Amino acid sequence: ERGADGNVKVLYSQAVSIMNAYLSSGTKDVEVGSLVLEPLAGFDQDGNVFPRLADGLPSVENGQIAEDYTSITWKLKPGILWSDGTPFTADDVVFTAEYCMHPEGGCAQAARYEGVASVEKIDDLTVKVNFSAPKYNPFTAFVGATSPVLQKAQFANCLGAAAPTCTEANTKPHGTGPFRVTDFKVNDVVELEANPNYRDPAKPAFATMTVKGGGDAAGAARAVMETGEFDYAWNTQINPELQAQMKAGGKGTFVSAFGTLVERIEMNMTDPSPDLPEGERSTAKHPHPFLSDMRVRKALSMAIDRNLLVEVGYGEAGRATCNLVPAPAIYASDNTDCLTQDMEGAKALLEEAGWTDSDGDGVRDKDGKKLSILYQTSVNPVRQDFQALIKGWWNELGVEVELKSIDAGVYFGGDPGSPDTFQKFYADVEMYANNFDGTDPEPYVAQYTCEKAPRPETQWQGENINRFCDPAYDALVGDLLKTRETEKRAEIIKKLNDMLTKESYTVVPLVDRGRLSAHSNTLGGIVLNVWDSELWNASDWYRIK
Amino acid sequence: MTDLAIEKPRSQWADVWAQFRSHKGALIGLAVFVSLILFVFVGPLIWTKDPTFINPNAAEMIKTRNKPPSLQFPLGTDQLGRDMLARMMKGGQVSISVGLVAMLISITLGTTVGVMAGYFKRLDGPLMRLTDLFLALPLLPLLLVMVMLFRDPLSRSLGPETGTFLLIVFAIGVTSWMQAARIVRGEVLALKEREFVLAARSIGTPSRRMILRHILPNVMSPIMVAATLGIASAIITESALSFLGLGFPPDFPTWGRLLFDGVEYIQQYPARVIWPGIAISLTVLSVNYVGDGLRDALDPRIRGR
Amino acid sequence: MLTYTIRRLLLAIPTLLFISLVIFLLVDLAPGSPASQIPLTVPPEVRMKILESMGVNEPVHVRYLLWLKQFFVVEPLVLIDSTFGTAFAEGQQRILSWQSRSPVFDIIVERMPQTLTVIGSAYVLGVLIALPIGIYSAYRQYSWFDQLGTFIAMIGFSVPTFFTGLVLILIFAVELQWFPSIYDTSLKVTDWDSFLAQVRQMAMPVMVLALYNAATISRYMRSSMLENLGQDYVRTARAKGMSERVVVLKHVLRNSMIPVITVIALGIPTIFGGAIITEQVFRVNGLGALLIGAIQGSDLPMVQTLTFIFAVLIVLFNLIADILYGILDPRIRYD
Amino acid sequence: MPDGADAVLDVKGLKTVFRTRGGEVHAVNSVSFHLRPGELLGVVGESGSGKSVTMMSLIGLLPSPPADVRAGEVLLKGVDILKSTPEELRAIRGARIGFVFQDPMTSLNPVFTVGNQIMEPLKRHMGLKGKAAEDRATELLELVGIPDARKRLKSYPHQFSGGMRQRVMIAIALACDPEVLIADEPTTALDVTIQAQILELVHELRRKLGMAIIWITHDLGVIAEIADRVMVMYGGQIVEQAPVRELFGNPHHPYTRALLKTIPKLGDERDERLQIIEGQPPILTAEPSACPFRARCAHAFDRCERENPLRRPIDGQPLGRGHDVACHWNPEGADA
Amino acid sequence: MRDDTTPGPATKGKPLVQVEGLKMYFPVFTGLFRRHTGDVKAVDDVSFTLMEGETLGLVGESGCGKSTVGRALLRLYEPTAGKVVIDGVDVAHLDAEALRRKRPTMQMVFQDPQASLNPRMTLADIIGEPLNEHTNWNADKKLARIYELMDAVGLNRRFANRYPHEFSGGQRQRIGIARALALNPKFIVCDEPIAALDVSIQAQVVNLLEDLQEKFGLTYLFISHDLSMVKHIADRVAVMYLGRIAELSPRDALYARPLHPYAEALLSAVPEPDPSRAARKERIILKGDVPSPANPPKGCNFCTRCPKVFDRCRVEKPVLREVEPGRHVACHLYSESAGPTGQSEAKEHNQQGVMQ
Ligand SMILES: Nc1ncnc2c1ncn2[C@@H]1O[C@H](COP(=O)(O)OP(=O)(O)OP(=O)(O)O)[C@@H](O)[C@H]1O
Ligand SMILES: Nc1ncnc2c1ncn2[C@@H]1O[C@H](COP(=O)(O)OP(=O)(O)OP(=O)(O)O)[C@@H](O)[C@H]1O
Ligand SMILES: [Mg+2]
Ligand SMILES: [Mg+2]
C-alpha cells in the first residue's frame, strides 16, 4: 500500500545538484532525477528495453519501427497524470525533444537525440520520431533515465538559453515517477514524497524518501553497514578488506553488478617528450620512441597480474578483463589470454625487440635510449595502488617507471591550457576508466579512429586518447555504421575490440569495474541495474519488517 | 674593584644557550627532535630496505600484505606489502624538511611583512591589503596555478626531486605567512609606542637595526608559536598537496600521506595510522618544547626559573 | 578613529575590486574546467555545446564584467525585489552556478544555517575553551596542567581533522551509537526532541573543529600571557590587593589580547569559509563543501562569488581587529 | 633586635636574595626595624643598597623566582605577613599597607584609564561602587594636585607626565587610607610645589588617621622636613638609625657623614665641585662577612675586614628607639 | 667658565640651540569613535636660546611640559609648530637620514629609566648601542669605552651582563646617562637625570657633567625639580608653567630675587635638608585650581593660583619680555603700564595666596 512503509533514506556520496537530466550528465543527477521524471521506456537489469510510460514496446514487427529504421512511433499509456494532476500527453513528449534539441540549450543529453530529424504528435497518445538517416538502434531518445519526458506546461518558458534560469522547474520538476520533490537543497539533500498521482495506486511503498549527498564512499558504506543510519548507499567503492569487515557487521549487504566500465592503461603512440616544441608533443608527427613497437607494449601488458589488481583494489566489485568492451555478452570478445601474468615471456619479448640492459644499471636500453616510462593517472587511492603495483612489475622487467598523479578536475577537465589533461597525454602511458552509455558500444569503438586523436588544432579535444591510427580500423568502423543485423554488428565490434587490445596492445584493459552499492537488511526490492538508473525500480522498494 | 676578575660581556647568544640548557623540556624536545632527524636521515643507511619495493611475485606479495610488526618488518607492512619502517624513514625525510623549510619561509615572510607594516606607517596600508589579498585567495586554485606555471621549469632546471621540493615548500610558505604577518604587525604597533623605542631613536638607531634589535626580540613569542604551529600545518598541507597531485610522485611516502592512506585501514590495521600520527605529533611536540625553551631563554625576565 | 574607519572602509572598495579581479584571473587561469564534471561518455560536440551554454568560452574580461554587474547590480536588486515585492531584477540574469545551474546566492543562503551553527559554534566553543586554557597554562607555566594542555594542543594541532573526525565516528557513531555520523541539514528545531537531535548531530563536528581551533588559539593566548605576566604593572595590581583573578583576567589579559584578537579575527571569516574536511567527513554540506566542490568542478561563478564574499569578510574583520587594537591599547593610534 | 612591642609594623631579620645566572645576589641582609603608628620613617641610602627590595619583600611582591625571601618576620600588628595565606595577604595589600612604586610609567597598566586603576582598590577594599568610587577617585587625584581631576580620570598613563604618573601612584596607595604607607621615592619626579603639597597631605593623614609611613627618598631635604626617624642603608644593610634631628646633628657612621656632606644647599656658596664618596658600592654576591663600606671608608681598620659590624645603640636607648649604628669605628677615638 | 660672574648669553660663545615659537599639542580623542575633540597644549609657544657651553635649567611644575620641550627639541616628537635650530640646522624640519646623522651631537637622558631601557638587552649592549650605530670601532675599543662610561656613572663593571630589571632604580638611571654620554654629544637634554640617584651619586653625575662641559664645551638643557642642584649647575634658569615659560633669568638673579610670582612660590617651597632650619622656613603654598593644559585659562596661565592676580591677568596672556638686563618675565606685573608698583595693590585683591 502506498506510503505504508514511511521513510527511506538514500545516501549518494556525490550530492545531487539538479533534477533535470538534460542540464546535467552527472550520474547522480540523472539517477535521482529518475525518481521523478520518467522516460517512455527503460532498461532492465539485463539491459533489455521495457516500456515505462509507453504502452508496449515499438518493434519492426508491430510496425511501430519503420522497416528502413527511419522512424519510431511511440504509443503512450492512457490515463497517466503528472504529479500536479494534469494529464500526460504527446505534447509533453514533443516538447521534450524540442527542449533538448534547442541549439542554445546546451542539452547534456543531446547525444540521445542525435539523428532525430523531428518528433511529431500523431494524436494525444501517439508520438512519432523521425530520423534523418536509418537508425539501427532507435531506442535512444526517450529511452533510459538520461532521456526522460518533461512537462511542457512547466518548462515552456525554459527553452534554449533560458533553460538554466528555471531554477524552480529544474529542482522541483513535475513528473510521472513514483516520487515528487518536496525540498531541494543543491548539492546536499533532496526530500521527496510519494507522488499522489502515480499510476500504480499501491506504489510506492514509502511515503517519503531522503536523498542525502556528500562525503566519501567509505563513510557512505559505513552509514548503511555499520551505523544503520541510511537504507541505501550508492557506489560504495571501498577496499575489499573493508568490504569484508563491514559485511561481517550484519546490518546490511553489498550488491554488485557489472556494466561496461573498464579500467585501462592507454599506451601513447606518439612521443610526449618535453624536448619537443610545444604543439608537437604527443602528436602524430612524432611516433613514440619505443611504445610504437608492439612487442614493448605487449611485454608491458604481460607483466601485469590483473587478478591481483582486482584483489587489491576492487574485490567483489571488479573482475580482470582483457576487453575494452566487456559487456553486453553478445559484444564481449572471448579474449582471456592476458589474465595470467607472464613475466618470463615478457622479458623474452623485450630481449627479442632488442631491449637489453647493456650497461647493467637494471634498466633496459637500446641505442642509448633507456626504457623509461612516465605513468600518469588521476588521484585516487586505488589507482595509486595500481600504479605502485604495476611499477613494481615493470621494474622487474627492467623498465624504469616514474609515476605521476593528477587532480581529477585537472586531468579530466580538458583545459587546453593545462599540460596535465588526459587528452594531452604528456606521458608515456596513462590510466583511467571509461564506458559507454546504454547497451550499444558503437560510438565507443568509433572513438579510436585516426581523426579523433586530440591535437593542437582541435584544442586537444578528441576521444582517441592514445592516438591509435590504423586505416583498417577506420574502414571497419565505417562498415559498422552501415550494418543493421545484430549478429554482424556484434562480430565487427568484437573484431574492433581485439584490434585495440590483443592485436595491438594500444589499449591495455585491466579491470572490468562493477557497480557496488550497499543497502540495509530491512530494505527490500533492490535490483541493481547498471544499464539504467540505479533507482530504476524505487517504486518497488519496501521495508522488510 | 677593577682588580676583580671581570667577565667580558658575553654575547647574547651564549646567554641564551646557557639558559636554554637549563630548560628541561627544551632539552628533551631537542633530544627527541635530533633523534627523529637521525632516525629519518641516518636510519636508511642502516635499514636499507627500499621503501617502494613491492614483491613482483603475486603470491608472495599477497602474503606480505598488511603484516603486523615482526623482525622482518619492524613496523609491519602496508596494503601492498611495502615495509613501513623504510617508508616511515623515507617519509620523514620529506616531511621534516618540508615542515621546517616551509615554516621558515612562511615565518620569514610573515615576520618581514608584519614588522614592515607595523613599523613603517607608509607601508602599513599596502602591505596589509596585500595580506588581505592573500588571505582571500582560494588556496587550491592558487596552488594549481603555481604548480602549472613552475613545476616543469623548476624540475627541468633543478632536477625533479629538488624542483618538486622547492615548489612544495615555496607553495606552502607563500600561502601560509599571513597569520604571522598580522599577529606580528599587531604586536609591533603596540611595541613601537614603548619608550625604549623612543630612546633608541634618540641615539639615531636606523630603522633596520631598530627592528632587529629592539622590535624583533620583543615579538619573539608569538613568532615562536606561529613557527611551531607552522611546522604541523606544513606537514599536513604537504600531504593535502599530494592528493591534488601537486606533490611528490604518488608512490613517494611522506608522513602526511602515510597517515591519510592509513586512515582507510584504521579499523583493521590501526598501526598504519598510529606510526605516522605519532611521528608527526612527536615532531611538532618536540619543536614546540624547543620553541618554548628558546622563548624563555630569550626573555631575560623569566630566566632563572 | 571614526575618520580612520571611514577612510579604511572607502579604501576597502578599490581593494576589494582589485582582489576580485585577482581572484577571477587566478581561478580562470587555474587548470581544470567544468568539463571534468561531464562523463566521458558524452560526445565532444555535446560537451562543447554544454560549455558554450554556460558561457565558459567567453573572453575573460567579458565574463569578469558580467560577474561584476551581476554581483553589484543584479543580486542587490533581487534582494530588494524579494523584500519589497518589486520587480527591478526582472529578466536580469543572476549569477548562476555552472555546476548546478542554480543561482549562486540561493545556494549560499541555503547553506548558511548549517555552516553558521556547526562551524560557528565550534569556533565559539574553541575560543571559549582556548582562552581559559591559555590563560591558566601561562599563569601556572610548566605545571602539570600546562604540560597536559600543551600536549593536547599539539596533538590537536598535528593530527589532521580527517583523522580525528573518523576516530570520533568510529567511537561515537559506530561503537557507541550516541551520535549520528551524518548531519541532517533538513532537521528543523521545533521542540525539545528536535533540539536534542540537533545537538547530537552537531556534537562530533563541533568537537573536532573546536579542538583544532582551541589548540591554535590557546597557544597564542599562553605565550602572550607569559610575555605580560612579568611586567611591573602586575606588581602594582598585586600591591593594590587585587585578587589573582583580577590581576590575571583584567590586567594581564587585556595587555595580552592583541595577538589573540588577531588570530580570532582572522578566524571568523573562515567560519563562513566553512571547514572543508570536517564538513566532508560529517556531510555537513556547508559553505566549505560548497566551495571545494565548486573548485573541483571549476565552477567559476560559484568560486568567484564565494571567495569574494570571503574577501569582504576578511577585509571587514581585519578592520575590526585594527579598531580593537586601538581600543585595547590606547597607545596605538591610527591617524 | 629593635623593640617593636607597640609597632604597627615590626620587621625582624629580613633576608632576600636573587638567584641569577651569575650566582646569588644578596640584596637585603638581616634588616630589622619597626614602625610605630603615626610615625614617619625616612629611608635613605645609596642607590642599589636594597631599599626597594626590602620594602617589596615586606609584602611579598617580589617575583619568586628569582627572588627568595630567606629569613625574617614581618609582623603587622603582631601578625606575621610572610606566613599569612595569599588571601589574607591580599586583604592587607592596598587596604592596610599602601605602596608607591618607584617607576611610575611601567608600574601603571598602560591599557586602563587612570581612573579605573585608582578605583580598583576602592571597589575591592571599601566596597565603593559607580559614582561613589568615581567621586572618591576624583577627590584623590585632586588631593595629589592633578588639575581637572574628573576629566583626567579618563586619561591613560601615557598621556600623563612623569610626575603626574607618580602622583597617580600616590593616589592609588592612599586610596583606602592604609595603616601603613610605603612610599618608594614618591616625590622624586615632582616639583617642589607639588611636593610641598604632598608633604602637607601626608602630615595631615598622619595627624588624622595615625598613618604610619615609610618614606624612601634621596632628598635629604624632604627627610629633614617630614621624617621622625631616619634609617640609612648601605650594601643591603641598615648602617645607621636615629631620630631625624639626631641623625642630621650627630651622624655617626662614616657613610652617613659622607652622605650629608655631599648635599648641595640652596643657601650655600657655590663651590667648584660637589663632594662625592670615592670608590664603588659593594657587589652583593655573597653573604657579607665584612663591613660593606670598608673599601670606601676613611676610618676602616683591620677589624672591618674581618667582621661585619652589628648594630649597636650609641645613646643608651634600646635598639631601634634611639640612635644606633653598625660600625666598629668610634668617633671619640676609642676602638670598640 | 664656571668662574664667570655674569653667566648668560652675552659672555658665552655663539648660540647653539635656538628655539622659536615651539608648540607641541597632543590631540585629545573622545567617545567610542575617538573623535578629535581638542588638544593638550603641552608646550605652547616656547622660545629661548642656548649658548654653546651653557647650561639652561628648566624647572617648573610637574606636567607643565618640560619633558615635552626636551623631546620636541630632539625631534622625538613631531612638533606642532616652531623652529628648533641646533648647531645651525633646523632639526624640526630635517629629513630622516640627515636627522639620524645629526643624532650623535644631541642626546637625551630619559626621565623614566625603566621604560626607556629595552628589557631584552644587557647593560653592555645598551650602552654600546650608540657606539655601534655611529662608530666603527672594534670590539675591544668599544668595550673599553663602555667600561669607561660605567665607571664614570658609578656602575660596577661586573654588571655589564645584567639586564635592566636586575637593577635598582638609580642604577637604571645611570645606564641611561651612560648611554647618552657615549658619543660625546654637544648638546644633552637631561630630563631629571639625577632624580632617582642618591646624593653621592647625584654629585658624582653632576660633577661628571660639569667635567665634560669643561672639557668639551657641552651644552645642557637640565630639567630638574631639584632646585638646589639646578642652582649648582645651571647658568640660566627657565621656569615653566603650563606649557609656557614664565621666567627666564640668570641663575643668581633668579635665586636671589625671583620676579614671576610662580617662580617665587617655587623657590620658597624648596625643602631644607637641615631639620633645625626646616621648621622655621616660610613657604608660599599655592592654592586654587590648577588648570588643565587641555583647557588653559583665557588670560595668564597662572591667574587661577597667583597670589598677586589682578583683573588684567584674567583676560590677557602676558608675553615673555625682558624686564631687566638678561631677565625675561611673562607677567603683567612687569608690563610697562603696571610695572612692579602694581604689586601691593594686587596683594590685597588676592585671598588665595597664603603667606606662612
Ligand atoms: N631581579 C633582580 N635580580 C638580581 N638583582 C637584583 C634584582 N632586583 C634588584 N637587584 C639588585 O638588588 C640590589 C638592591 O636593589 P634595590 O632596588 O632595592 O635598590 P634601591 O636601594 O631601591 O636603589 P635605588 O635608590 O637606586 O632605587 C641592587 O644591587 C640590584 O642590582
Ligand atoms: N602622549 C600624550 N598624549 C596626551 N597628552 C600628553 C602626552 N604626553 C604628555 N601629555 C601631556 O602634556 C603635558 C606635559 O607633559 P610633560 O611630560 O612634558 O610634563 P613634564 O613637565 O615633563 O612633567 P614631569 O615633571 O611631571 O615629568 C601633561 O599635561 C601631559 O598630560
Ligand atoms: Mg629603589
Ligand atoms: Mg617630565
Side-chain angles (χ1 to χ4, degrees), chain A residues 225-432:
Chain A
M225 307 289 289
E226 293 194 316
T227 68
E229 290 163 71
F230 277 74
D231 297 303
Y232 187 90
W234 169 81
N235 199 4
T236 50
Q237 185 51 251
I238 49 175
N239 73 62
E241 284 180 87
L242 197 52
Q243 282 175 29
Q245 188 200 321
M246 286 187 178
K247 237 185 293 185
K251 282 211 162 109
T253 30
F254 286 108
V255 284
S256 62
F258 288 88
T260 57
L261 187 65
V262 171
E263 187 83 28
R264 85 289 291 285
I265 287 178
E266 302 263 0
M267 303 274 180
N268 197 343
M269 305 303 284
T270 59
D271 190 356
S273 162
D275 303 331
L276 292 173
E278 197 54 36
E280 291 186 19
R281 277 178 88 175
S282 285
T283 60
K285 264 202 196 114
H286 305 277
H288 196 279
F290 50 85
L291 285 180
S292 42
D293 182 345
M294 214 267 279
R295 287 169 298 187
V296 176
R297 303 198 297 265
K298 183 170 181 188
L300 291 177
S301 168
M302 285 163 76
I304 297 172
D305 185 339
R306 290 167 173 76
N307 288 315
L308 185 66
L309 292 181
V310 170
E311 184 166 346
V312 168
Y314 294 100
E316 266 182 39
R319 53 192 183 201
T321 183
C322 304
N323 289 320
L324 188 61
V325 182
I330 48 161
Y331 300 121
S333 168
D334 56 356
N335 172 15
T336 55
D337 62 341
C338 75
L339 295 184
T340 40
Q341 185 190 29
D342 182 5
M343 200 58 90
E344 292 317 308
K347 283 181 184 163
L349 206 56
L350 284 178
E351 295 286 335
E352 183 194 319
W355 291 91
T356 51
D357 184 7
S358 62
D359 53 3
D361 62 350
V363 180
R364 288 174 193 271
D365 51 78
K366 182 167 136 182
D367 310 331
K369 174 105 190 111
K370 278 197 178 180
L371 204 48
S372 169
I373 285 179
L374 176 63
Y375 175 8
Q376 72 179 19
T377 188
S378 69
V379 176
N380 169 318
V382 178
R383 291 206 170 117
Q384 263 75 78
D385 279 0
F386 277 24
Q387 275 186 311
L389 283 166
I390 292 171
K391 175 180 176 177
W393 290 320
W394 287 352
N395 280 342
E396 179 74 7
L397 271 191
V399 180
E400 190 179 67
V401 183
E402 189 192 329
L403 301 183
K404 184 170 168 185
S405 59
I406 301 159
D407 176 52
V410 177
Y411 188 57
F412 296 116
D415 185 343
S418 164
D420 288 334
T421 65
F422 83 116
Q423 286 108 327
K424 262 198 181 161
F425 207 167
Y426 282 181
D428 300 295
V429 301
E430 67 182 359
M431 180 166 71
Y432 61 92

Side-chain angles (χ1 to χ4, degrees), chain C residues 145-157:
Chain C
F145 179 90
D146 181 29
Q147 304 284 10
L148 187 73
T150 303
F151 188 75
I152 293 176
M154 287 299 131
I155 301 288
F157 197 81

Side-chain angles (χ1 to χ4, degrees), chain D residues 160-165 189, chain E residues 61-68 71 108 111-112 191-192 223 225:
Chain D
F160 274 20
S161 77
M164 293 160 85
R165 288 173 205 153
Chain E
E61 196 170 37
S62 140
C64 68
K66 303 181 298 295
S67 301
T68 310
R71 290 177 179 202
M108 173 140 186
Q111 181 172 9
D112 192 326
D191 193 354
E192 311 197 16
I223 303 173
H225 292 305

Side-chain angles (χ1 to χ4, degrees), chain C residues 122-179:
Chain C
Y123 198 74
V124 172
L125 188 69
V127 173
L128 290 183
I129 298 175
L131 298 187
I133 291 186
I135 293 168
Y136 196 73
S137 294
Y139 184 62
R140 292 248 175 275
Q141 196 191 9
Y142 301 132
S143 64
W144 67 265
F145 179 90
D146 181 29
Q147 304 284 10
L148 187 73
T150 303
F151 188 75
I152 293 176
M154 287 299 131
I155 301 288
F157 197 81
S158 58
V159 176
T161 44
F162 63 76
F163 177 70
T164 27
L166 185 62
V167 171
L168 286 190
I169 288 186
L170 289 179
I171 296 174
F172 292 110
V174 175
E175 284 305 318
L176 300 173
Q177 308 244 334
W178 287 357
F179 307 129

